[in-house]
Amino acid sequence: MTTLLTLVVLALVAIAIWQMTKIFELSQLKAENSQIANDSDNKTNGYLLFAFLIFIYGITIFSFWNYGKYLLPEAASEHGSDYDSLMLVSMVIIFIVQTLTQALLHYFGYKYRGVKGRKALFFADNDRLEFIWTIIPVIVLAGLILWGLYTWTNIMDVNDEDDPIVVELYAQQFNWTARYAGDDNVLGKANVRMIDINKANVLGLDESDTYAADDIIVKELHLPVGRKVNFKMRSQDVLHSAYMPHFRAQMNCVPGMITEFSFTPIYTTEEMRQNPDVAAKVKRTNEIRAERAAKGEDNSDPWEFDYVLLCNKICGKSHYNMQMKIIVETQEEYDAWIAEQKTFGQNVMGQADAGSANDFGKLETATASH
Ligand SMILES: [Cu+2]
């Protein structure tokens, strides 16, 4: 209803402006009424070009000033700073070129505005000018592309050097599940055709594969700081994308294939909470939440920073809520946590302690409830 009223009001305002313009035109009958632009029209348009130039510079400065704080904080992975430098240098170059060319474009638009009796100078070509405006972009772009390829190759080099932990990220509409490779650090074979909900085998692990028994399936990702992680991504249904913005990591999850990404976290969750940008963001958010709480609205609990794994492909109606918490901690904390988790063998294959199947039952319900 409010939308309809707003639209009606806007339409009425538009009609009013239109009518007033008509009255204004009628009252100007005596003035010259030619459709051909004269010197004064051209001059007005020349000044309008400068006004527009000031507008785009102004909005640029305003956006940096006002929205700069919404950018991601410092990267929390080893490769993140290379990625950020590449991004920063590319953006700085784009902004310098954009600022200069916009000024030139608008200035020349004004300088060579139409003046009665002035004729345009025509020349077919100028080799030196064309050489300059070809060679400079060629050098700059070649430099950026080579640097980009070098950074890309480094980041995408998923290998087994430096003793990485192997973790599977399993995507499905609309949640994530993680699987640790266990003591042998080798993930057991898995296939969506082997999913057996009755046995709580939610990831379709192959029970006959000896590597599967020690795998650990969890709904919260814990990572020890300073240790490389090799992620292997799978999807059960549609395209998803595993996006871990604080680690500058993103990889598509594609049904029927395993994609990989690797990074080394360099700050624990606790350390990242001390980061000034993160602390400022938490403070801002909690101020808004306190206001909501005062009004008795939802989503008003104080928020604490956590790393997060998000889905970055629009994969269905609850895509926006497809996320998993990531906790980066010290090696000791990680060891203590992983020791508490039940293996696939214990939970599903009935090895050792059978009572623990209840824990996994919770996991299954959590998955099925989406
Ligand atoms: Cu998704």
Side-chain angles (χ1 to χ4, degrees), residues 171-174 176 238-241 311-316 319 322:
Q172 70 188 107
Q173 289 170 319
F174 296 98
W176 295 99
V238 297
L239 273 184
H240 299 272
S241 194
C311 178
N312 208 11
K313 278 273 177 297
I314 304 202
C315 57
H319 152 77
M322 184 168 162

Side-chain angles (χ1 to χ4, degrees), residues 311-347:
C311 178
N312 208 11
K313 278 273 177 297
I314 304 202
C315 57
K317 67 177 170 26
S318 293
H319 152 77
Y320 71 94
N321 205 22
M322 184 168 162
Q323 53 178 285
M324 182 159 74
K325 187 158 128 181
I326 304 176
I327 294 164
V328 179
E329 53 202 1
T330 61
Q331 185 70 46
E332 297 75 49
E333 288 166 323
Y334 170 78
D335 291 341
W337 173 80
I338 199 96
E340 278 175 20
Q341 308 306 313
K342 295 279 187 283
T343 63
F344 178 73
Q346 290 165 330
N347 274 325

Side-chain angles (χ1 to χ4, degrees), residues 355-369:
S356 60
N358 289 334
D359 293 342
F360 203 76
K362 273 183 223 149
L363 175 66
E364 188 200 352
T365 340
T367 313
S369 71

Side-chain angles (χ1 to χ4, degrees), residues 191-212:
N191 191 303
V192 283
R193 292 193 179 83
M194 286 185 268
I195 292 177
D196 187 345
I197 294 296
N198 294 330
K199 289 180 74 181
N201 185 1
V202 286
L203 299 190
L205 266 62
D206 183 353
E207 290 179 38
S208 65
D209 185 5
T210 46
Y211 289 119

Side-chain angles (χ1 to χ4, degrees), residues 75-86:
S77 62
E78 224 163 58
H79 73 265
S81 57
D82 295 343
Y83 179 102
D84 284 353
S85 314
L86 183 60

Side-chain angles (χ1 to χ4, degrees), residues 295-311:
K295 290 186 211 148
E297 293 174 29
D298 291 345
N299 291 327
S300 55
D301 298 337
W303 173 67
E304 198 170 33
F305 170 83
D306 267 305
Y307 293 119
V308 69
L309 161 68
L310 299 168
C311 178

Side-chain angles (χ1 to χ4, degrees), residues 33-162:
N33 203 16
S34 160
Q35 294 294 311
I36 300 165
N38 58 28
D39 282 1
S40 137
D41 296 333
N42 288 332
K43 205 166 201 169
T44 311
N45 280 295
Y47 288 137
L48 283 175
L49 281 178
F50 281 118
F52 186 70
L53 185 64
I54 291 169
F55 169 73
I56 55 176
Y57 282 172
I59 206 160
T60 308
I61 294 166
F62 170 79
S63 300
F64 272 112
W65 179 263
N66 213 38
Y67 302 114
K69 57 177 181 274
Y70 297 115
L71 295 174
L72 282 170
E74 186 190 347
S77 62
E78 224 163 58
H79 73 265
S81 57
D82 295 343
Y83 179 102
D84 284 353
S85 314
L86 183 60
M87 179 80 171
L88 183 71
V89 170
S90 305
M91 289 316 261
V92 166
I93 291 175
I94 289 169
F95 270 101
I96 292 173
V97 173
Q98 132 94 6
T99 305
L100 289 177
T101 49
Q102 290 294 353
L104 291 173
L105 183 68
H106 289 80
Y107 170 69
F108 282 108
Y110 166 78
K111 186 171 183 223
Y112 296 114
R113 69 190 180 277
V115 173
K116 206 164 188 192
R118 180 148 80 186
K119 273 181 94 179
L121 170 70
F122 176 81
F123 60 87
D125 53 46
N126 180 325
D127 287 347
R128 180 185 283 187
L129 260 184
E130 284 181 25
F131 179 75
I132 292 173
W133 74 49
T134 308
I135 202 74
I136 294 178
V138 164
I139 293 172
V140 174
L141 286 176
L144 278 180
I145 290 168
L146 286 175
W147 185 20
L149 281 175
Y150 173 78
T151 311
W152 167 265
T153 317
N154 275 346
I155 293 175
M156 294 312 295
D157 180 23
V158 181
N159 59 50
D160 287 340
E161 284 164 31
D162 310 326

